[in-house]
Amino acid sequence: MNFSVVVSQFWPLLINGLALGFIYVLISLGYTMVYGVLRLINFANSEIFMVGTFATVIVSRNFFGFNQNTDPLHGFKLVYTLGACLLASMLVSGVTAVLVEIVAYRRLRAKGTNRLASLISAIGVSIILQEGVRILTHSVPMSNPRLLRKAYIFNIGSVGLRVDTLLVIFFAAILFFLVDRFVSKTLLGKAIRAVSMSEETSKLMGVNLNRVISATFLIGGMMTGAAAFLYETVYENTKYNVGFSIGLAAFTAAVLGGIGNLRGAFLGGLSLGLLEEFAAAILGTQWKSVTVFLVLVLVLLFKPNGLFGEAVQQTRV
Amino acid sequence: MINIRDRGAELWENWNRPKRTTFVILLLAVIVLLPFAGDYSFSSFLNTPISSYQAVLVYPVGIFVLMSLGLNIVVGKSGLLDLGYVAFFAIGAYTAAILGTKTHLNIWEIMPIGMGLAMLSGVLLGLPTLRLRGDYLAIVTLGFGEIVRIVAVNNRATGGPNGIANVPNPPSIFGVRFALDNMQGFFWIILVMILLVIWMVRRLSIRRPGRAWEAIRQDEDVAMLMGVATLKYKIWSFSIGAAIGGAAGVIFASKSMYVAPDMFTFNISVLILSCVVFGGMGNIWGVVLGGTILAYLPERIRFISNARQLVFGLALVIIMNVRPDGLLPRKKREKLHKTVQPLAVEGEQNV
């Protein structure tokens, strides 16, 4: 127990917690949107994240030819390179997510089987992805070259704000805003919402179910891919099993906010990021996940639908 | 697709008593002699290439089947999704390790304590969380599994990340020795435990708890309205499952003589759940078959060592797509109709 650290380190903890939280927000979109539409935990989402991190690293290392000794980039070249990495990561993750849907869910959905069968087949796909990457990379971790000079750009009081943390917060907030607008304003977004309210009725109203579900996986996968890119800019390292703990945390965030609920995922992700950061500082890093789960159990005890499960019903995906 | 389950049940129902008894005795004899199968040329195809065949029969095969049967009560019978079943396994194993090294109790005396502690933790976890539905329960149990592992890593009493070594082997019973070089003893004792669990589950299934679980699985709200004490029976199902997991843990610890947090990862929970769903949720024989196949397969195909988990994942996806209800699915309604219809006709005539 070390409470003094909260006082002395309050601002850095807050900023780091927010950055981590925004990464969780984007990944938990992959869980919460799929859950909203299919009422299924997308177990392969952590592997979709893992694939995204590898896409980022491979594009910057092999495609652009950067390595650990490369000097940080500047100006247009920096924007262009980071943009390419982000796009590649989003694209690869999105396509993987759609493939996961086709391989693991589509046939089973057509047969109208029980939910656990889909869960196990998703677990199977997740094992295939993880093991495939493990064999391809020979279980060796890969590090992402530092393209962005991690300088402190300005200070709040005595605390410096680092440019990569700001980038994460900025990008994730924009992406979340876009997805939220997309789901509430566009026709496809309306179809997604309709399917999540009632699959049967929306089918009767002429919604192409398979297309909507694929689109949901695509958007969820792309957001997870963006999170993978942001994760790589901050933590600069990846391994074949990187998805497990992060995916678990993001799923917890989705449940915390009320699963199937977009804005719930936003608040759940942010609270989880802050909670982890502060719990790690107060109790020590090893008790981080224990605290998170205890808080989750307590929240579910008093609000069984998650923190915002009922309150923001209208924004349900 | 032929329905293996119904075909088998039909065959069984048309047999008379002597036929059934001979079949059961023969089957049991084959299973009891399994540890020696690797020694003879006609059955040597069963041998596992890298790990010792007899050890594979105990862990993973025997332990997985036992745990699948325990999880089947929770997931298959009462429809509660438990993603942290490994927690109870770990609690049993650590109880055996701590009591076995610190006290003079032998493993058979520790067994009820391990089962009791696992059961207690099942009740403590169940009381607040079993009010939750479906996927919320899944994430809370998942978290519980991780918490148990993290506590084991960060605690001096559990030996931290190094675990506890020198867990004693059980003392021999009826002249059967239990030691590292005598694995068939462990196989036989696990077989006895499996048979006991099967017997217990079959008895429970046709009595009040089993019917309550079935009602809860089909529709919890309706079950509650019909007067089923849903929370009580859910906690029963949870804690019986936990006790079986604890028993498996005690045997596992004394078999491997060593426990470490790495042995109790989330993967084990997922594997056991896969065994249950793969074999056929709710059907004991399906679960036994699923546990046997999924535990044995990765060991058998170790010669492709690097890709064996990949093949395992592939097998999961393919089988679930081809047979979504598992290899031997639970009994469907047909049998019920067969027995109910004559009664209904009789009733009509009376009117």
Side-chain angles (χ1 to χ4, degrees):
Chain A
M1 289 287 187
N2 181 9
F3 282 105
S4 62
V5 79
V6 175
V7 184
S8 61
Q9 296 286 313
F10 180 76
W11 286 104
L13 286 176
L14 185 78
I15 302 286
N16 287 338
L18 273 182
L20 187 65
F22 268 107
I23 292 179
Y24 286 158
V25 168
L26 290 184
I27 308 173
S28 66
L29 285 181
Y31 286 101
T32 214
M33 290 184 71
V34 168
Y35 189 88
V37 172
L38 289 183
R39 305 264 167 251
L40 282 173
I41 304 171
N42 181 10
F43 240 92
N45 204 42
S46 51
E47 263 50 64
I48 292 168
F49 173 80
M50 181 269 295
V51 170
T53 60
F54 274 99
T56 308
V57 176
I58 286 172
V59 164
S60 63
R61 282 184 87 99
N62 297 16
F63 187 70
F64 287 113
F66 295 121
N67 58 37
Q68 290 324 101
N69 304 322
T70 314
D71 289 328
L73 304 172
H74 293 285
F76 176 70
K77 202 170 177 204
L78 175 73
V79 176
Y80 159 74
T81 317
L82 288 185
C85 287
L86 175 67
L87 273 185
S89 177
M90 283 173 82
L91 209 67
V92 169
S93 292
V95 169
T96 316
V98 174
L99 285 180
V100 165
E101 193 265 328
I102 290 171
V103 173
Y105 294 103
R106 185 162 289 182
R107 268 178 65 94
L108 285 170
R109 203 172 59 240
K111 285 186 179 174
T113 49
N114 66 51
R115 302 169 56 244
L116 278 178
S118 317
L119 188 75
I120 299 295
S121 111
I123 289 174
V125 171
S126 150
I127 293 176
I128 294 175
L129 283 175
Q130 190 173 341
E131 285 296 309
V133 171
R134 187 183 68 80
I135 293 168
L136 286 178
T137 59
H138 307 287
S139 319
V140 179
M142 276 176 108
S143 54
N144 195 28
R146 180 170 294 189
L147 305 176
L148 189 68
R149 185 192 297 279
K150 296 199 169 170
Y152 293 98
I153 43 173
F154 60 85
N155 296 327
I156 298 179
S158 60
V159 185
L161 266 176
R162 247 170 54 181
V163 66
D164 54 332
T165 350
L166 272 182
L167 185 88
V168 168
I169 295 175
F170 182 67
F171 259 108
I174 289 183
L175 282 172
F176 178 81
F177 178 76
L178 286 179
V179 170
D180 190 59
R181 289 291 92 188
F182 177 83
V183 168
S184 53
K185 294 292 177 206
T186 61
L187 193 64
L188 189 58
K190 273 180 191 155
I192 292 177
R193 264 164 41 220
V195 172
S196 75
M197 277 173 194
S198 166
E199 206 178 294
E200 287 300 306
T201 319
S202 48
K203 217 153 94 186
L204 291 173
M205 295 296 155
V207 174
N208 183 343
L209 209 58
N210 276 341
R211 232 189 72 201
V212 169
I213 291 174
S214 290
T216 314
F217 270 88
L218 183 69
I219 298 170
M222 278 165 70
M223 290 306 121
T224 309
F229 164 77
L230 296 175
Y231 177 86
E232 279 311 303
T233 8
V234 180
Y235 299 97
E236 300 180 332
N237 215 315
T238 183
K239 211 183 165 193
Y240 70 96
N241 58 4
V242 70
F244 176 72
S245 51
I246 296 236
L248 204 62
F251 181 59
T252 311
V255 173
L256 197 64
I259 195 160
N261 177 334
L262 274 193
R263 294 183 189 168
F266 184 77
L267 295 169
L270 288 193
S271 6
L272 194 80
L274 290 174
L275 197 67
E276 277 201 353
E277 205 65 38
F278 279 98
I282 296 171
L283 301 170
T285 335
Q286 71 270 35
W287 299 112
K288 187 172 71 176
S289 25
V290 175
T291 328
V292 168
F293 277 117
L294 285 180
V295 170
L296 179 76
V297 171
L298 285 177
V299 168
L300 289 180
L301 259 184
F302 295 106
K303 298 204 66 136
N305 288 312
L307 279 179
F308 312 97
E310 297 298 316
V312 222
Q313 195 61 260
Q314 283 77 19
T315 54
R316 242 184 129 75
V317 170
Chain B
M1 185 69 59
I2 50 160
N3 190 336
I4 314 168
R5 198 222 166 269
D6 285 0
R7 192 65 62 79
E10 208 180 301
L11 215 63
W12 175 257
E13 269 155 30
N14 292 337
W15 278 348
N16 52 17
R17 195 156 201 133
K19 249 185 180 171
R20 288 185 185 181
T21 327
T22 355
F23 177 72
V24 170
I25 290 175
L26 276 178
L27 188 67
L28 267 182
V30 169
I31 294 174
V32 166
L33 293 177
L34 264 185
F36 305 114
D39 303 341
Y40 299 99
S41 56
F42 68 93
S43 54
S44 59
F45 65 92
L46 284 172
N47 255 330
T48 43
I50 287 161
S51 20
S52 142
Y53 167 68
Q54 295 198 348
V56 166
L57 276 185
V58 178
Y59 184 85
V61 177
I63 302 254
F64 270 31
V65 169
L66 187 59
M67 282 166 72
S68 311
L69 284 168
L71 187 62
N72 181 43
I73 302 175
V74 184
V75 180
K77 295 278 176 203
S78 13
L80 308 164
L81 183 49
D82 183 349
L83 287 181
Y85 193 61
V86 73
F88 306 121
F89 184 52
I91 288 172
Y94 270 102
T95 312
I98 293 172
L99 292 183
T101 49
K102 299 269 160 65
T103 66
H104 295 297
L105 295 172
N106 71 38
I107 292 294
W108 305 129
E109 290 157 348
I110 294 172
M111 180 72 79
I113 305 175
M115 288 171 72
L117 280 180
M119 210 166 171
L120 184 71
S121 61
V123 174
L124 287 181
L125 177 68
L127 270 177
T129 58
L130 282 175
R131 289 170 216 277
L132 304 170
R133 293 289 172 87
D135 298 305
Y136 290 112
L137 182 67
I139 182 78
V140 172
T141 48
L142 196 166
F144 179 64
E146 283 294 292
I147 287 177
V148 168
R149 193 179 61 82
I150 292 167
V151 169
V153 173
N154 295 305
N155 204 320
R156 211 181 298 149
T158 55
N162 297 328
I164 301 172
N166 296 326
V167 184
N169 281 137
S172 50
I173 35 173
F174 303 129
V176 178
R177 209 160 52 81
F178 300 95
L180 215 52
D181 59 342
N182 198 35
M183 277 293 163
Q184 58 264 42
F186 286 105
F187 178 69
W188 288 330
I189 198 70
I190 291 175
L191 185 65
V192 171
M193 286 162 71
I194 290 172
L195 290 176
L196 280 175
V197 169
I198 290 178
W199 176 72
M200 179 186 78
V201 173
R202 283 176 67 93
R203 302 310 290 167
L204 282 175
S205 302
I206 52 169
R207 282 182 165 67
R208 187 172 284 273
R211 293 204 303 269
W213 292 337
E214 181 66 25
I216 291 168
R217 187 180 64 81
Q218 288 187 359
D219 194 320
E220 205 179 320
D221 296 319
V222 175
M224 198 186 257
L225 287 173
M226 290 296 153
V228 177
T230 48
L231 186 63
K232 181 178 128 192
Y233 283 112
K234 283 200 302 193
I235 287 179
W236 266 119
S237 136
F238 215 63
S239 49
I240 291 175
I244 296 171
V250 173
I251 283 287
F252 172 72
S254 77
K255 172 249 156 193
S256 48
M257 303 179 72
Y258 165 66
V259 290
D262 287 349
M263 297 168 166
F264 309 105
T265 54
F266 175 61
N267 278 341
I268 304 285
S269 304
V270 169
L271 268 176
I272 304 295
L273 182 67
S274 310
C275 293
V276 173
V277 181
F278 183 87
M281 264 194 304
N283 179 20
I284 295 176
W285 310 114
V287 170
V288 171
L289 186 70
T292 314
I293 293 177
L294 289 194
Y296 179 70
L297 184 72
E299 298 294 337
R300 184 69 187 82
I301 58 174
R302 257 201 185 198
F303 51 89
I304 49 167
S305 57
N306 218 359
R308 77 195 158 97
Q309 289 296 334
L310 194 73
V311 172
F312 176 78
L314 215 59
L316 275 188
V317 177
I318 292 172
I319 298 285
M320 287 333 286
N321 272 291
V322 177
R323 291 187 75 89
D325 289 326
L327 293 175
L328 297 177
R330 88 174 75 228
K331 206 168 351 189
K332 292 272 155 53
R333 289 264 176 85
E334 289 85 20
K335 205 187 153 211
L336 199 78
H337 282 299
K338 232 186 250 169
T339 51
V340 167
Q341 261 165 3
L343 272 176
V345 173
E346 222 169 77
E348 247 170 41
Q349 281 167 343
N350 286 345
V351 170

Coordinates of all heavy atoms in Angstrom, one line a residue, chain A residues 163-224:
Chain A
V163 N 4.5 13.0 -26.5 CA 3.8 13.1 -27.7 C 3.0 11.8 -28.1 O 1.9 11.9 -28.7 CB 4.7 13.6 -28.9 CG1 5.8 12.5 -29.1 CG2 4.0 13.9 -30.1
D164 N 3.6 10.6 -27.8 CA 2.9 9.4 -28.1 C 1.6 9.2 -27.3 O 0.6 8.7 -27.9 CB 3.8 8.2 -28.0 CG 4.4 8.1 -26.6 OD1 4.6 9.1 -26.0 OD2 4.7 7.0 -26.2
T165 N 1.6 9.6 -26.0 CA 0.4 9.5 -25.3 C -0.7 10.4 -25.8 O -1.8 10.0 -25.9 CB 0.7 9.9 -23.8 OG1 2.1 10.0 -23.6 CG2 0.2 8.9 -22.8
L166 N -0.3 11.6 -26.2 CA -1.2 12.5 -26.8 C -1.8 12.0 -28.1 O -3.0 12.1 -28.3 CB -0.5 13.8 -27.1 CG -0.6 14.8 -25.9 CD1 0.1 16.1 -26.3 CD2 -2.0 15.1 -25.5
L167 N -0.9 11.4 -28.9 CA -1.3 10.8 -30.2 C -2.4 9.7 -29.9 O -3.5 9.7 -30.6 CB -0.1 10.2 -30.9 CG -0.4 9.6 -32.2 CD1 -0.2 10.7 -33.3 CD2 0.6 8.4 -32.5
V168 N -2.2 8.9 -28.9 CA -3.2 7.8 -28.6 C -4.5 8.4 -28.3 O -5.5 8.1 -28.8 CB -2.6 6.9 -27.5 CG1 -3.7 6.0 -27.0 CG2 -1.5 6.1 -27.9
I169 N -4.5 9.4 -27.3 CA -5.7 9.9 -26.8 C -6.5 10.6 -28.0 O -7.7 10.4 -28.2 CB -5.4 10.9 -25.7 CG1 -4.9 10.1 -24.5 CG2 -6.7 11.7 -25.3 CD1 -4.4 11.0 -23.4
F170 N -5.7 11.4 -28.8 CA -6.3 12.2 -29.9 C -6.9 11.2 -30.9 O -8.1 11.3 -31.2 CB -5.1 13.0 -30.5 CG -5.6 13.9 -31.6 CD1 -6.4 14.9 -31.4 CD2 -5.1 13.6 -32.9 CE1 -6.8 15.8 -32.4 CE2 -5.5 14.4 -33.9 CZ -6.4 15.5 -33.7
F171 N -6.1 10.3 -31.4 CA -6.6 9.4 -32.5 C -7.8 8.5 -32.0 O -8.8 8.4 -32.7 CB -5.5 8.4 -32.9 CG -4.8 8.9 -34.2 CD1 -3.6 9.4 -34.2 CD2 -5.6 8.8 -35.4 CE1 -3.0 9.8 -35.4 CE2 -5.0 9.2 -36.6 CZ -3.7 9.7 -36.6
A172 N -7.6 7.9 -30.8 CA -8.7 7.0 -30.3 C -10.0 7.8 -30.1 O -11.0 7.3 -30.5 CB -8.2 6.4 -29.0
A173 N -9.9 9.0 -29.6 CA -11.1 9.8 -29.4 C -11.8 10.1 -30.8 O -13.0 9.9 -30.9 CB -10.8 11.1 -28.7
I174 N -11.0 10.5 -31.8 CA -11.5 10.7 -33.1 C -12.2 9.5 -33.7 O -13.4 9.5 -34.1 CB -10.5 11.2 -34.1 CG1 -10.0 12.6 -33.7 CG2 -11.0 11.2 -35.5 CD1 -9.0 13.2 -34.6
L175 N -11.5 8.3 -33.6 CA -12.0 7.1 -34.1 C -13.3 6.7 -33.4 O -14.3 6.3 -34.1 CB -11.0 6.0 -34.0 CG -9.9 6.0 -35.1 CD1 -8.8 5.0 -34.8 CD2 -10.5 5.8 -36.5
F176 N -13.3 6.9 -32.1 CA -14.5 6.5 -31.4 C -15.7 7.4 -31.8 O -16.8 6.9 -32.1 CB -14.4 6.6 -29.9 CG -15.6 6.3 -29.1 CD1 -16.0 4.9 -28.9 CD2 -16.5 7.3 -28.7 CE1 -17.1 4.6 -28.3 CE2 -17.7 6.9 -28.1 CZ -18.0 5.6 -27.9
F177 N -15.4 8.7 -32.0 CA -16.4 9.6 -32.4 C -17.0 9.2 -33.7 O -18.2 9.2 -34.0 CB -15.8 11.0 -32.4 CG -16.8 12.1 -32.8 CD1 -17.8 12.5 -32.0 CD2 -16.7 12.6 -34.1 CE1 -18.7 13.5 -32.4 CE2 -17.6 13.6 -34.5 CZ -18.6 14.0 -33.7
L178 N -16.1 8.9 -34.7 CA -16.5 8.5 -36.0 C -17.4 7.2 -36.0 O -18.5 7.2 -36.6 CB -15.3 8.2 -36.9 CG -14.5 9.4 -37.3 CD1 -13.3 9.0 -38.2 CD2 -15.4 10.3 -38.1
V179 N -17.0 6.2 -35.2 CA -17.8 5.0 -35.1 C -19.2 5.3 -34.5 O -20.2 4.9 -35.0 CB -17.1 3.9 -34.3 CG1 -18.0 2.8 -34.0 CG2 -15.9 3.4 -35.0
D180 N -19.2 6.1 -33.5 CA -20.4 6.5 -32.8 C -21.4 7.2 -33.8 O -22.5 6.8 -33.9 CB -20.1 7.4 -31.6 CG -21.4 7.5 -30.8 OD1 -21.9 6.5 -30.3 OD2 -21.8 8.7 -30.6
R181 N -20.8 8.1 -34.6 CA -21.6 8.8 -35.6 C -22.1 7.9 -36.6 O -23.2 7.9 -37.1 CB -20.8 9.9 -36.3 CG -20.5 11.1 -35.4 CD -21.7 12.0 -35.1 NE -22.3 11.5 -33.9 CZ -23.4 11.9 -33.4 NH1 -24.1 12.8 -34.1 NH2 -23.9 11.5 -32.2
F182 N -21.2 7.0 -37.1 CA -21.5 6.0 -38.1 C -22.7 5.2 -37.7 O -23.6 5.0 -38.5 CB -20.3 5.2 -38.4 CG -20.5 4.1 -39.4 CD1 -20.4 4.4 -40.8 CD2 -20.8 2.8 -39.1 CE1 -20.7 3.4 -41.7 CE2 -21.1 1.8 -40.0 CZ -21.0 2.1 -41.3
V183 N -22.6 4.7 -36.5 CA -23.7 3.8 -36.0 C -25.0 4.5 -35.9 O -26.0 3.9 -36.2 CB -23.2 3.0 -34.7 CG1 -24.4 2.3 -34.1 CG2 -22.1 2.1 -35.1
S184 N -24.9 5.8 -35.5 CA -26.2 6.4 -35.2 C -26.8 7.1 -36.4 O -28.0 7.4 -36.5 CB -26.1 7.4 -34.0 OG -25.0 8.3 -34.3
K185 N -25.9 7.4 -37.4 CA -26.4 8.3 -38.5 C -26.6 7.5 -39.9 O -27.6 7.7 -40.6 CB -25.5 9.4 -38.8 CG -25.4 10.4 -37.7 CD -26.7 11.2 -37.5 CE -26.7 12.1 -36.3 NZ -27.9 12.4 -35.7
T186 N -25.7 6.6 -40.2 CA -25.8 6.1 -41.6 C -26.8 4.9 -41.7 O -27.2 4.4 -40.6 CB -24.4 5.5 -42.0 OG1 -24.1 4.5 -41.1 CG2 -23.3 6.5 -42.0
L187 N -27.1 4.6 -42.9 CA -28.1 3.5 -43.1 C -27.6 2.2 -42.6 O -28.3 1.4 -41.9 CB -28.3 3.4 -44.6 CG -29.5 2.5 -45.0 CD1 -30.8 3.2 -44.5 CD2 -29.6 2.3 -46.5
L188 N -26.3 1.9 -42.9 CA -25.7 0.6 -42.4 C -25.7 0.6 -40.9 O -26.0 -0.4 -40.2 CB -24.3 0.5 -42.9 CG -23.6 -0.9 -42.7 CD1 -24.5 -2.0 -43.3 CD2 -22.2 -0.9 -43.3
G189 N -25.4 1.8 -40.3 CA -25.4 1.8 -38.8 C -26.7 1.6 -38.2 O -26.9 0.8 -37.2
K190 N -27.8 2.1 -38.9 CA -29.1 1.9 -38.5 C -29.4 0.4 -38.6 O -30.1 -0.2 -37.7 CB -30.1 2.7 -39.3 CG -30.3 4.1 -38.8 CD -31.3 4.8 -39.7 CE -31.3 6.3 -39.2 NZ -31.7 7.2 -40.3
A191 N -29.0 -0.2 -39.7 CA -29.2 -1.7 -39.9 C -28.6 -2.5 -38.7 O -29.1 -3.4 -38.2 CB -28.7 -2.1 -41.2
I192 N -27.3 -2.1 -38.4 CA -26.6 -2.7 -37.3 C -27.5 -2.6 -36.0 O -27.7 -3.6 -35.3 CB -25.2 -2.1 -37.1 CG1 -24.3 -2.5 -38.2 CG2 -24.6 -2.7 -35.8 CD1 -23.0 -1.9 -38.2
R193 N -28.0 -1.4 -35.7 CA -28.8 -1.2 -34.5 C -30.0 -2.0 -34.6 O -30.5 -2.6 -33.6 CB -29.1 0.3 -34.3 CG -28.1 0.9 -33.4 CD -28.1 2.4 -33.5 NE -29.4 3.0 -33.6 CZ -29.6 4.1 -34.3 NH1 -28.7 4.6 -35.1 NH2 -30.8 4.6 -34.4
A194 N -30.6 -2.1 -35.8 CA -31.9 -2.9 -35.9 C -31.6 -4.3 -35.6 O -32.4 -5.0 -34.9 CB -32.5 -2.7 -37.3
V195 N -30.5 -4.9 -36.2 CA -30.2 -6.3 -36.0 C -30.0 -6.6 -34.5 O -30.4 -7.6 -33.9 CB -29.0 -6.7 -36.8 CG1 -28.6 -8.1 -36.4 CG2 -29.4 -6.7 -38.3
S196 N -29.3 -5.6 -33.8 CA -29.1 -5.9 -32.4 C -30.3 -5.8 -31.6 O -30.4 -6.4 -30.5 CB -28.0 -4.9 -31.9 OG -28.6 -3.7 -31.7
M197 N -31.3 -5.1 -32.0 CA -32.6 -5.0 -31.3 C -33.4 -6.3 -31.5 O -33.8 -7.0 -30.6 CB -33.4 -3.9 -31.7 CG -33.0 -2.6 -31.0 SD -33.9 -1.2 -31.7 CE -33.0 0.1 -31.0
S198 N -33.6 -6.7 -32.8 CA -34.2 -8.0 -33.1 C -33.8 -8.5 -34.4 O -34.1 -7.8 -35.4 CB -35.8 -7.8 -33.0 OG -36.3 -8.9 -33.6
E199 N -33.2 -9.6 -34.4 CA -32.7 -10.2 -35.6 C -33.8 -10.5 -36.5 O -33.8 -10.2 -37.7 CB -31.9 -11.4 -35.2 CG -30.8 -11.8 -36.2 CD -30.1 -13.0 -35.8 OE1 -29.4 -12.9 -34.7 OE2 -30.2 -14.1 -36.4
E200 N -34.8 -11.2 -36.0 CA -36.0 -11.7 -36.7 C -36.7 -10.5 -37.5 O -36.9 -10.5 -38.7 CB -37.0 -12.4 -35.8 CG -36.5 -13.7 -35.4 CD -36.3 -14.7 -36.5 OE1 -37.2 -14.8 -37.3 OE2 -35.2 -15.2 -36.6
T201 N -37.0 -9.5 -36.7 CA -37.8 -8.4 -37.2 C -37.0 -7.7 -38.3 O -37.5 -7.3 -39.4 CB -38.1 -7.4 -36.1 OG1 -38.5 -8.1 -35.0 CG2 -39.3 -6.5 -36.6
S202 N -35.7 -7.4 -38.1 CA -34.9 -6.7 -39.1 C -34.8 -7.5 -40.3 O -34.8 -7.0 -41.4 CB -33.5 -6.3 -38.5 OG -32.9 -7.4 -37.9
K203 N -34.8 -8.9 -40.2 CA -34.7 -9.7 -41.4 C -36.0 -9.5 -42.2 O -36.0 -9.4 -43.4 CB -34.6 -11.2 -41.0 CG -33.7 -12.0 -41.9 CD -33.0 -13.1 -41.2 CE -33.8 -14.4 -41.3 NZ -33.2 -15.5 -40.5
L204 N -37.2 -9.5 -41.5 CA -38.4 -9.3 -42.1 C -38.5 -7.9 -42.8 O -39.2 -7.7 -43.8 CB -39.6 -9.4 -41.1 CG -39.8 -10.8 -40.6 CD1 -40.8 -10.7 -39.5 CD2 -40.3 -11.7 -41.7
M205 N -37.8 -6.9 -42.2 CA -37.8 -5.6 -42.8 C -36.9 -5.4 -44.0 O -36.6 -4.3 -44.5 CB -37.4 -4.5 -41.7 CG -38.4 -4.4 -40.6 SD -40.0 -3.9 -41.2 CE -41.1 -4.5 -40.0
G206 N -36.2 -6.5 -44.4 CA -35.4 -6.5 -45.6 C -33.9 -6.2 -45.3 O -33.2 -5.8 -46.2
V207 N -33.5 -6.4 -44.1 CA -32.1 -6.1 -43.8 C -31.3 -7.4 -44.2 O -31.7 -8.5 -43.9 CB -31.8 -5.9 -42.3 CG1 -30.4 -5.8 -42.0 CG2 -32.5 -4.6 -41.9
N208 N -30.2 -7.2 -44.9 CA -29.4 -8.3 -45.3 C -28.5 -8.7 -44.2 O -27.5 -8.1 -43.9 CB -28.6 -8.0 -46.6 CG -27.7 -9.1 -47.0 OD1 -27.5 -10.1 -46.3 ND2 -27.3 -9.0 -48.3
L209 N -28.9 -9.8 -43.4 CA -28.3 -10.1 -42.2 C -26.8 -10.4 -42.3 O -26.0 -9.8 -41.6 CB -29.0 -11.3 -41.6 CG -29.0 -11.4 -40.1 CD1 -29.7 -10.2 -39.5 CD2 -29.7 -12.7 -39.6
N210 N -26.5 -11.2 -43.3 CA -25.0 -11.6 -43.4 C -24.2 -10.4 -43.7 O -23.1 -10.2 -43.2 CB -24.9 -12.6 -44.5 CG -25.1 -14.0 -44.1 OD1 -25.1 -14.2 -42.8 ND2 -25.4 -14.9 -45.0
R211 N -24.7 -9.4 -44.5 CA -23.9 -8.2 -44.8 C -23.7 -7.4 -43.6 O -22.6 -6.9 -43.3 CB -24.6 -7.4 -45.9 CG -23.7 -7.1 -47.1 CD -24.3 -6.2 -48.0 NE -24.4 -4.8 -47.5 CZ -25.3 -3.9 -47.9 NH1 -26.1 -4.2 -48.9 NH2 -25.3 -2.7 -47.4
V212 N -24.8 -7.2 -42.8 CA -24.7 -6.4 -41.6 C -23.7 -7.0 -40.6 O -22.9 -6.3 -40.0 CB -26.1 -6.2 -41.0 CG1 -26.0 -5.6 -39.6 CG2 -27.0 -5.4 -41.9
I213 N -23.8 -8.3 -40.5 CA -22.9 -8.9 -39.5 C -21.5 -8.8 -39.9 O -20.6 -8.5 -39.2 CB -23.3 -10.4 -39.3 CG1 -24.7 -10.4 -38.5 CG2 -22.3 -11.2 -38.5 CD1 -25.3 -11.7 -38.3
S214 N -21.2 -9.0 -41.3 CA -19.9 -8.9 -41.8 C -19.4 -7.5 -41.5 O -18.2 -7.2 -41.1 CB -19.8 -9.2 -43.3 OG -20.0 -10.6 -43.5
A215 N -20.3 -6.5 -41.8 CA -19.9 -5.1 -41.6 C -19.5 -4.8 -40.1 O -18.6 -4.1 -39.8 CB -21.0 -4.2 -42.0
T216 N -20.3 -5.4 -39.2 CA -20.0 -5.2 -37.8 C -18.6 -5.8 -37.5 O -17.9 -5.1 -36.8 CB -21.1 -6.0 -37.0 OG1 -22.3 -5.7 -37.5 CG2 -21.0 -5.6 -35.5
F217 N -18.4 -7.0 -38.0 CA -17.0 -7.6 -37.7 C -15.9 -6.7 -38.3 O -14.9 -6.5 -37.7 CB -17.0 -9.0 -38.3 CG -17.4 -10.0 -37.3 CD1 -18.7 -10.4 -37.2 CD2 -16.5 -10.6 -36.5 CE1 -19.1 -11.4 -36.3 CE2 -16.8 -11.6 -35.6 CZ -18.2 -12.0 -35.5
L218 N -16.2 -6.1 -39.5 CA -15.2 -5.3 -40.2 C -14.9 -4.1 -39.4 O -13.8 -3.8 -39.1 CB -15.7 -4.9 -41.6 CG -14.7 -4.1 -42.4 CD1 -13.5 -5.0 -42.8 CD2 -15.4 -3.6 -43.7
I219 N -16.0 -3.4 -38.9 CA -15.7 -2.2 -38.1 C -15.0 -2.5 -36.8 O -14.1 -1.9 -36.4 CB -17.1 -1.4 -37.9 CG1 -17.7 -1.0 -39.2 CG2 -16.9 -0.2 -37.0 CD1 -19.1 -0.6 -39.1
G220 N -15.6 -3.5 -36.1 CA -14.9 -3.9 -34.9 C -13.5 -4.3 -35.1 O -12.6 -3.9 -34.3
G221 N -13.2 -5.1 -36.1 CA -11.8 -5.5 -36.4 C -11.0 -4.3 -36.7 O -9.8 -4.2 -36.3
M222 N -11.5 -3.3 -37.5 CA -10.7 -2.1 -37.9 C -10.3 -1.3 -36.6 O -9.2 -0.8 -36.5 CB -11.4 -1.3 -38.9 CG -11.3 -1.8 -40.3 SD -12.4 -1.1 -41.4 CE -11.8 0.6 -41.6
M223 N -11.3 -1.2 -35.7 CA -11.0 -0.4 -34.5 C -10.0 -1.2 -33.7 O -9.1 -0.5 -33.1 CB -12.3 -0.3 -33.7 CG -13.3 0.7 -34.3 SD -12.5 2.3 -34.6 CE -12.8 2.4 -36.4
T224 N -10.1 -2.5 -33.6 CA -9.1 -3.3 -32.9 C -7.7 -3.1 -33.5 O -6.7 -3.0 -32.8 CB -9.5 -4.8 -32.9 OG1 -10.8 -4.9 -32.4 CG2 -8.6 -5.6 -31.9

